[in-house]
Amino acid sequence: ILVSCLLWTCLPQSQGTVYPRDILLKTPKFRRVWGGVQSNTGPNFGGWLLRILNGDGNFACGAAYYAPLLVITSANCIYPYRNSLEGATVEGTAFSECDRENYADIDTIQFPEKFIYQKLYMDVAVVRLRDPVRGRLTEFIRLCSVKVQPKMQMVVFGWGFDNTEVEIPSSDPRNVTVTIISIKECRQKFKSPKIASTSICARQPKNPKQCLYDGGSPLIYGRELCGVVSFGSHCIDTSRPGMYTNIRRVKRFITETEESINAGDVFRSTKVVKETKKPPKKTIKPKSKPVKIQRLLR
């Protein structure tokens, strides 16, 4: 009875899934996996939706919570912040009255070896946290298990920070439905024969004010994370398709990164190590071989 009363005091404006405790390092993913919009509690889109703040406390990227210490975002979005992680945090978007804090410090960022800044191929990054994100509503999202095909409708989230020319960003996240288009149609829209094999193209809303394109923000289908906002589009001209990284195509990198971290092959550090690839001045893999990870530490 006491536990029930305590949980009741933690409920936001409407009832739904409220967990009895915060996420711990060894919390199994299946125990805190998002159950879909019907399981949401209060005025939020689910405890898996996160935003990354830079060291100054300003919005950097959207993100999705995948495991106790792992967050998924766009490599292109987070790359400029890789050497200035001091004070950078990940913040939840779902809160209950019992939550005193809903954020975690960033420890390291893992990039695919073949990722190149401002290119679409393998545009995904796994952010490792120092501690799990707290919160009685905080939860994880599953990785995409379906093949993404034209005409599928998916939901993208964002705040509007990447389209300030259109309207003022909102303090709370928003969402909009987009329709997947074929690679052929995408090439015609961009007038380019080169579209990365790890990319998804989606038709943007005609009204620029309804367009959402914050780097790293999630694209979901049902209860699964099927994409993240990538690079190369904007909301000023919505005739151009939105570019997203296909999570199903980069799933191996994510899971092998997770395995490497769990096995202790990726160490924590307070120093920046040398990169195997130098970034531009301007600011998949063989089946028989494991994915190599480019380590960037704070």
Side-chain angles (χ1 to χ4, degrees), residues 14 38 102 150 165 169 189 192 202 211:
S14 62
Q38 70 276 4
N102 195 247
E165 300 89 348
K189 294 287 185 179
S192 171
C211 175

Side-chain angles (χ1 to χ4, degrees), residues 16-297:
T17 302
V18 180
Y19 299 97
R21 58 183 62 85
D22 292 328
I23 292 176
L24 304 176
L25 288 174
K26 295 185 178 181
T27 298
K29 286 184 289 186
F30 72 88
R31 291 189 181 278
R32 293 287 284 251
V33 69
W34 183 50
V37 294
Q38 70 276 4
S39 70
N40 288 352
T41 305
N44 63 77
F45 296 118
W48 57 273
L49 178 60
L50 308 174
R51 59 182 178 183
I52 299 174
L53 307 179
N54 63 21
D56 296 326
N58 297 317
F59 180 89
C61 308
Y65 205 8
Y66 168 64
L69 294 180
L70 302 181
V71 171
I72 298 172
T73 189
S74 157
N76 271 306
C77 183
I78 198 71
Y79 193 81
Y81 305 98
R82 69 199 182 283
N83 292 328
S84 56
L85 295 178
E86 189 67 36
T89 61
V90 169
E91 183 180 66
T93 60
F95 305 89
S96 77
E97 295 180 1
C98 291
D99 297 334
R100 295 184 178 180
E101 59 183 41
N102 195 247
Y103 68 92
D105 293 329
I106 294 177
D107 185 41
T108 64
I109 307 173
Q110 315 301 324
F111 297 92
E113 184 188 38
K114 292 186 178 181
F115 165 71
I116 299 175
Y117 183 48
Q118 294 188 339
K119 298 292 184 179
L120 293 172
Y121 185 66
M122 295 299 291
D123 181 14
V124 65
V126 175
V127 177
R128 179 181 181 175
L129 307 175
R130 291 189 174 275
D131 298 289
V133 179
R134 296 181 179 275
R136 300 295 179 87
L137 305 183
T138 308
E139 54 200 347
F140 310 124
I141 190 168
R142 298 178 179 90
L143 299 183
C144 196
S145 62
V146 300
K147 182 179 180 181
V148 178
Q149 298 180 347
K151 298 184 179 181
M152 291 177 68
Q153 290 193 324
M154 298 190 178
V155 178
V156 64
F157 300 82
W159 291 259
F161 285 98
D162 278 14
N163 58 319
T164 54
E165 300 89 348
V166 177
E167 63 177 344
I168 299 175
S170 57
S171 57
D172 296 319
R174 296 178 285 133
N175 67 356
V176 67
T177 300
V178 295
T179 303
I180 304 302
I181 63 175
S182 67
I183 295 297
K184 181 179 179 180
E185 181 179 350
C186 190
R187 287 171 177 163
Q188 293 173 346
K189 294 287 185 179
F190 278 102
K191 299 180 180 180
S192 171
K194 295 182 179 180
I195 299 293
S197 61
T198 58
S199 294
I200 302 171
C201 296
R203 187 177 295 111
Q204 301 277 42
K206 292 183 179 181
N207 185 349
K209 291 186 177 181
Q210 294 179 344
C211 175
L212 293 172
Y213 203 72
D214 293 327
S217 291
L219 177 73
I220 69 167
Y221 182 73
R223 298 180 296 173
E224 299 181 338
L225 177 69
C226 286
V228 294
V229 174
S230 184
F231 170 81
S233 298
H234 47 71
C235 290
I236 298 178
D237 181 8
T238 57
S239 66
R240 293 167 62 93
M243 301 301 299
Y244 303 85
T245 299
N246 188 334
I247 290 296
R248 195 164 180 259
R249 292 289 182 90
V250 299
K251 189 174 182 177
R252 185 180 174 187
F253 164 75
I254 296 171
T255 56
E256 289 194 0
T257 299
E258 179 182 20
E259 292 171 1
S260 297
I261 289 176
N262 291 339
D265 296 334
V266 180
F267 301 101
R268 297 177 182 273
S269 176
T270 57
K271 296 181 180 180
V272 177
V273 299
K274 294 183 178 180
E275 302 172 26
T276 58
K277 292 182 180 179
K278 293 183 179 180
K281 293 182 180 180
K282 188 179 178 181
T283 269
I284 52 183
K285 309 163 285 280
K287 293 184 179 180
S288 59
K289 297 182 180 179
V291 179
K292 294 182 179 179
I293 299 172
Q294 182 182 21
R295 249 180 274 172
L296 294 169
L297 310 182

